[in-house]
Amino acid sequence: MAGAAMGTADWYRHFGTVDAPGSSACYADWSLQIADDPALIARIDQWPHNKRQPLLLLAAARYLGAKVSPYSEFRNFLDEHWADVSRTVLSRATQTNEVGRCATLLPSLAAISAAEQKPLALIEVGASAGLALFPDRYGYEYDDGTTVTRLAPEPRPAGQLPALVPPVLRCAVSGPVPLPDRLPEVVWRAGIDLNPLDVGNDDDVAWLEALIWPEQDFRRERLRKAIGVARENPPLLVAGDLNQQLVSLADRAPADAALVVFHSAVMGYLSADGRSRFRSTVQDLAAGRGCHWLSNEGETVIAQADGSTVVPEMAAGRLRGNFLLLHNGRPVAITGPHGQSLEWL
């Protein structure tokens, strides 16, 4: 996690200068002013380290009703609601279920299915509510600056339930992205999370919406549409530690499907030892049952000693604010953290 090697004020300053600009002017401003607010930093420092992260505090305040406003008004809101903010921070986690990332995973998933000549069985670790487990149920628009490639799920057969309007995930692409001509078939899907969220629970849904950055209404709209897809046929979600649950869950996947284990923005919540154990677990699973591993993680995790390989010829700072997508430990693409871009290597 980004804050592991820096003080709390530095963590908020990094969020306000690197992560938020271009996505949320409000969060950029609030984070930078929090960084320069010693009294508030002292309050935040009373929480456990993994609860001090900027997005968790900001989402908790938004969940409780904080509006986009000048910092002085936001600061007053925190003063008036600090007990509730603190309670929410300590009981919740940043389980952003960003369905947009499916757009950056889909080409790899389709290529795996085509190479194996099998449908897919998916396991997402750090699954939140499991919304990223439905890549076959969403629409896509890939824009290379000249042409737009569109993909859509198969329409329902006549007489089935009323048609849902799936979210359409838009992604700018560059490089030789292996875009499929149709969506892969997914025959089984499951996820692991320390505290899975329930798409049928209004409080959990409200928390998912609070994790969307305030100005990004398009993300909020596609989240709601994805929740509609998931509510129709909720995925299997297992509560527990990913290192303890992965192998037993993989045993439940159909043997005649290509198993893919994937994650996005999850490894930062594990210690270096936990990441190392996970890598070993996935490699043992690949050698035994057989599986593919897609890792879509940010620079602050890749830079740590977890065995990840950064592209040697990559210019310094090229990953700044982006994710690196690896397939079985091999870098294949640079991706936008919310799935907005895919640069094939």
Side-chain angles (χ1 to χ4, degrees):
M1 187 178 297
M6 61 178 72
T8 303
D10 293 328
W11 197 350
Y12 278 76
R13 191 169 291 108
H14 181 274
F15 186 84
T17 56
V18 175
D19 299 323
S23 296
S24 173
C26 172
Y27 275 8
D29 176 59
W30 286 355
S31 297
L32 289 174
Q33 299 219 49
I34 290 171
D36 292 330
D37 188 334
L40 184 53
I41 292 294
R43 283 188 188 180
I44 295 170
D45 277 337
Q46 294 177 17
W47 297 332
H49 186 273
N50 67 334
K51 295 294 185 178
R52 300 173 196 167
Q53 55 184 293
L55 187 55
L56 183 54
L57 166 62
L58 300 175
R62 296 272 296 157
Y63 175 75
L64 294 167
K67 307 298 183 185
V68 174
S69 64
Y71 180 70
S72 58
E73 293 180 25
F74 176 66
R75 185 65 164 82
N76 288 337
F77 180 93
L78 293 180
D79 285 342
E80 293 169 6
H81 300 86
W82 188 253
D84 289 333
V85 169
S86 186
R87 191 178 304 112
T88 302
V89 164
L90 294 176
S91 63
R92 291 285 186 177
T94 50
Q95 296 171 280
T96 303
N97 216 167
E98 182 46 73
V99 294
R101 293 171 184 151
C102 286
T104 58
L105 298 172
L106 181 74
S108 296
L109 293 172
I112 290 168
S113 181
E116 297 270 353
Q117 296 188 341
K118 296 177 181 178
L120 298 174
L122 303 179
I123 294 179
E124 182 182 16
V125 296
S128 186
L131 302 182
L133 287 164
F134 294 89
D136 56 325
R137 299 287 306 279
Y138 303 146
Y140 300 86
E141 291 185 359
Y142 292 100
D143 187 348
D144 66 5
T146 303
T147 59
V148 177
T149 300
R150 293 179 172 86
L151 298 167
E154 293 291 329
R156 295 179 190 275
Q160 286 198 359
L161 293 170
L164 283 172
V165 179
V168 176
L169 311 181
R170 296 173 175 86
C171 181
V173 296
S174 58
V177 182
L179 293 177
D181 55 13
R182 62 185 178 85
L183 299 181
E185 180 185 5
V186 178
V187 294
W188 185 86
R189 58 194 101 219
I192 305 168
D193 200 279
L194 287 174
N195 181 32
L197 299 181
D198 179 1
V199 292
N201 180 291
D202 289 343
D203 285 340
D204 283 354
V205 169
W207 178 243
L208 285 172
E209 292 200 8
L211 288 164
I212 301 292
W213 299 12
E215 298 92 338
Q216 297 188 329
D217 290 335
F218 72 97
R219 289 179 63 205
R220 198 167 291 105
E221 178 185 0
R222 72 188 184 194
L223 171 71
R224 290 168 180 167
K225 289 180 177 179
I227 287 171
V229 170
R231 279 177 169 169
E232 199 175 52
N233 187 18
L236 169 64
L237 296 177
V238 176
D241 181 272
L242 52 88
N243 278 317
Q244 297 173 4
Q245 298 289 347
L246 179 57
V247 173
S248 60
L249 185 58
D251 286 342
R252 302 167 68 175
D256 57 352
L259 178 62
V260 181
V261 176
F262 71 96
H263 52 87
S264 291
V266 171
M267 292 296 110
Y269 297 95
L270 274 65
S271 65
D273 177 66
R275 291 192 296 274
S276 178
R277 287 174 54 210
F278 179 70
R279 171 176 285 269
S280 296
T281 300
V282 176
Q283 289 174 339
D284 289 346
L285 186 62
R289 188 246 187 244
C291 76
H292 292 263
W293 175 27
L294 294 178
S295 168
N296 189 41
E297 298 287 343
E299 60 176 321
T300 55
V301 177
I302 296 166
Q304 298 180 51
D306 68 342
S308 296
T309 305
V310 177
V311 181
E313 64 272 18
M314 190 175 293
R318 188 173 174 192
L319 280 176
R320 189 174 174 85
N322 290 308
F323 288 1
L324 184 65
L325 176 63
L326 300 99
H327 180 191
N328 295 336
R330 180 178 64 86
V332 295
I334 297 172
T335 69
H338 296 145
Q340 69 270 43
S341 62
L342 177 61
E343 178 188 353
W344 209 258
L345 299 173

